[in-house]
Amino acid sequence: MSSLTENEILEYQGIARILHNVLFNDPTPELIQGFIGHGVAQSWPEFTSSAEEKSGRELLSNYLGQWTVDKQQTLKLDYAQLFYGPGEPNAVPWGSVYLSERQLLNDKSTMALMAFYQEQGISFELDSNQPVDHIGLFFAVLDQMFTQWAQTEDSESLERSCMILLQQHLLPWSGRCLELMTEHATTDFYRGIALLTQAYLEGLIQRLNLVPMTARLYR
């Protein structure tokens, strides 16, 4: 018996796809126009009913309500400073930087994640230098998992894979990444997305009764 209702699976799948696009790719005017056109802020599901989630929705809604194309440069700059630099990014998106003592890319935790993906038959078309533990890529995998989950009678193994992905590979460090994102974002767009992403993950923790593995974080 699945822990999630059919409706919940579809909500988690739809938002995972949005979060993948927002966290993994540079923001484009088309993305923002799409958000406005589809009323994304208004139709965002409530996963936790927390104050943070409410605040995230308001920030996103206000930003989209005041959007003009001349804000594009500021938005791109905010994304770059958070995730890529120049210099040290403010909210590094790769898990191994949080989990490895020397804050390295592609460290042991990345190798463990790659082994898990191989075992699950999950693969990506990535440009050669992109580590697979980018926070935005986790949401692409969740999108895939929920899509399959919605289409299968035997959801037990998918649910188990989803729980392992979250408990062992994403949740040990994602909270810190999203905290840094909330703290350093200069636009309400990314501040709102950080709060909504955290609420999304907390919703999954509650609904799937997850106990995230604790790990020592190095940033």
Side-chain angles (χ1 to χ4, degrees), residues 120 154-162:
Q120 299 291 321
D154 174 29
S155 61
E156 229 170 89
S157 65
L158 273 165
E159 185 168 336
R160 197 164 51 245
S161 301
C162 186

Side-chain angles (χ1 to χ4, degrees), residues 68-84:
T68 48
V69 92
D70 60 2
K71 296 188 174 168
Q72 173 62 18
Q73 206 44 45
T74 313
L75 192 65
K76 275 190 81 145
L77 196 63
D78 193 20
Y79 181 80
Q81 290 293 110
L82 285 169
F83 287 159
Y84 292 106

Side-chain angles (χ1 to χ4, degrees), residues 81-84 88-110 133-136 138 169-184 214-219:
Q81 290 293 110
L82 285 169
F83 287 159
Y84 292 106
E88 187 68 13
N90 288 323
V92 179
W94 300 286
S96 67
V97 175
Y98 297 86
L99 297 167
S100 93
E101 194 167 350
R102 290 167 58 205
Q103 300 185 22
L104 300 172
L105 288 175
N106 292 318
D107 205 46
K108 287 199 295 272
S109 62
T110 320
D133 59 348
H134 187 295
I135 191 166
F138 279 91
H169 299 288
L170 177 59
L171 292 169
W173 62 275
S174 57
R176 180 60 183 147
C177 173
L178 294 166
E179 192 183 318
L180 289 168
M181 194 178 160
T182 308
E183 189 184 320
H184 292 286
T214 51
R216 180 159 178 203
L217 300 181
Y218 293 92
R219 83 165 42 199

Side-chain angles (χ1 to χ4, degrees), residues 10-25:
L10 292 173
E11 284 184 340
Y12 278 113
Q13 182 270 321
I15 297 298
R17 185 164 297 178
I18 289 173
L19 293 177
H20 163 63
N21 283 323
V22 170
L23 296 171
F24 192 64
N25 301 313

